[in-house]
Amino acid sequence: MYAVAPAPANPLFGRGLLSIEELTPAELSWLVRLARYLKAAPSHEHRSLLRGRTLALLFEKPSLRTRVSFEVAMQQLGGQTLFAAGGEFLIGTRETPEDAAHVLSRYVDAIVIRTHAHEPLVQFARASSVPVINGLSAAAHPCQALADVLTIEERFGSLAGLTITYLGDARNNVAYSLAQASVMLGARVHFGAPNSHRPSEAMLAALNALGESSGGTARAFADPVRAARGADVLYTDVWTSMGEERYRERNDAMLRPYAVTDALLGYAQPHAIFMHCLPAHRGEEVSADVIDGAKSAVFDQAENRMHAQKALLVALLTDAKGMPQ
Ligand code: CP
Ligand code: NVA
């Protein structure tokens, strides 16, 4: 177990993160505060915080940002990583998720998993005695959402009262995690999607319940203009997520009216920003003039993956002593 005893001030110590809704709004706000603090600090300043700690990165799907940003985050905090991809690690194939979790918990201090179905990840995390972080599953991408709300906070000071519009496949991992984090911090989330790709009524009700204490709300619109009108943030993601390739043709046809173009951006606030988790497909979900234009925040967002994950690692693996509370 860990050499450092948990401080009561750090309620995230020893926990994992599979989904944003596991956090309270106060814990989420604290993670963002911590990320801003770590981002502002010189990168050598915290290089002994995770000395001697190992983070395993076990990825069943490709990744650029998640893998590299976790590796650099661990290096900057003095720890190390090991990476296994594809055939070397497929959760629940060679052995049960529980057996794999018991074994890995004996070797490493925390585990990031990128996988297809969410349920085996939950089984794995339940059996693990070290923190397990969801590096993307079909249901959630919480690390992306941490970076997203960090980026929005940097631009606008706070999410409270902002309108954040997500256009396209509003049933995917990125949409759900972004919406959960945004309503928890008091934003109005608008989904712009056809009926086939809009969140279920149960999901919308869950989001509105999640936002209740901070005033956050969620609504779905079939009309992309109504969704985008007056927005502070326009956000989109690929129309077809990894593992969903069999639906590509159908998605391309149905989601075309929800592409983020300059014309659609014109309905948002004059100060609105464009966001995308990347990788992006210019000419599909977003036009080149938008993603490469002055309102695009996508590379700040990508950079913030590393700062947000540093905060998460410090919160899960240390007593966070000396950090802002
Ligand atoms: N946004 C994101 O998760 O990127 P990668 O798939 O490259 O990790
Ligand atoms: N929704 C996308 C996000 C990629 C970072 C996917 O799951 O492929």
Side-chain angles (χ1 to χ4, degrees):
M1 280 295 31
Y2 306 113
V4 186
N10 176 9
L12 294 183
F13 179 85
R15 282 165 53 182
L17 185 68
L18 301 190
S19 170
I20 288 289
E21 70 209 308
E22 294 163 13
L23 301 169
T24 64
E27 289 166 351
L28 176 59
S29 303
W30 178 57
L31 280 175
V32 176
R33 234 175 7 260
L34 197 52
R36 293 185 74 164
Y37 169 80
L38 291 167
K39 182 173 178 175
S43 64
H44 63 268
E45 200 165 285
H46 299 106
R47 67 179 166 214
S48 54
L49 266 179
L50 295 183
R51 185 178 291 147
R53 306 295 185 86
T54 303
L55 176 71
L57 296 157
L58 308 171
F59 281 33
E60 295 177 5
K61 293 174 180 173
S63 170
L64 173 70
R65 280 145 289 270
T66 307
R67 175 184 177 177
V68 177
S69 56
F70 264 116
E71 293 202 5
V72 176
M74 274 306 274
Q75 274 172 25
Q76 290 190 4
L77 293 169
Q80 54 192 9
T81 53
L82 63 86
F83 179 78
E88 288 171 73
F89 178 79
L90 282 172
I91 195 166
T93 49
R94 277 187 73 223
E95 56 196 319
T96 65
E98 288 84 355
D99 282 355
H102 287 307
V103 172
L104 285 163
S105 298
R106 305 277 179 117
Y107 299 145
V108 300
D109 299 283
I111 303 166
V112 181
I113 295 182
R114 171 166 285 203
T115 185
H116 292 274
H118 193 74
E119 192 46 40
L121 177 61
V122 173
Q123 286 171 255
F124 183 101
R126 265 195 219 117
S128 173
S129 56
V130 300
V132 177
I133 299 169
N134 182 357
L136 180 149
S137 67
H141 198 1
C143 297
Q144 181 67 51
L146 291 179
D148 295 343
V149 293
L150 167 61
T151 308
I152 299 170
E153 229 191 72
E154 284 177 338
R155 296 289 180 120
F156 295 99
S158 153
L159 273 77
L162 295 183
T163 299
I164 298 173
T165 296
Y166 181 96
L167 293 140
D169 179 10
R171 285 190 173 177
N172 82 10
N173 41 19
V174 169
Y176 284 159
S177 294
L178 170 74
Q180 287 172 336
S182 301
V183 296
M184 282 165 69
L185 298 178
R188 267 186 300 272
V189 173
H190 287 181
F191 295 103
N195 284 344
S196 51
H197 291 74
R198 69 179 244 152
S200 65
E201 289 308 314
M203 172 53 86
L204 288 173
L207 285 171
N208 282 303
L210 207 55
E212 210 166 344
S213 63
S214 41
T217 58
R219 274 183 79 181
F221 298 86
D223 177 355
V225 171
R226 282 191 67 203
R229 191 169 276 136
D232 300 284
V233 176
L234 289 193
Y235 196 122
T236 192
D237 181 13
V238 290
W239 287 337
T240 299
S241 288
M242 293 179 278
E244 303 282 312
E245 289 76 10
R246 62 195 177 282
Y247 302 119
R248 186 181 300 282
E249 230 172 276
R250 170 177 159 264
N251 292 343
D252 287 354
M254 304 202 72
L255 297 175
R256 173 72 46 200
Y258 301 87
V260 182
T261 58
D262 223 22
L264 194 61
L265 197 52
Y267 291 97
Q269 298 273 6
H271 62 239
I273 59 168
F274 169 74
M275 296 181 71
H276 192 307
C277 58
L278 304 180
H281 299 142
R282 287 169 177 76
E284 294 182 23
E285 74 275 5
V286 59
S287 61
D289 52 357
V290 169
I291 194 168
D292 299 322
K295 295 185 172 187
S296 177
V298 299
F299 297 116
D300 284 347
Q301 215 184 325
E303 178 188 333
N304 281 340
R305 293 294 306 274
M306 186 187 67
H307 304 298
Q309 287 156 200
K310 271 168 99 169
L312 182 62
L313 292 166
V314 168
L316 302 182
L317 292 174
T318 80
D319 60 5
K321 229 163 118 190
M323 297 288 146
Q325 295 306 313

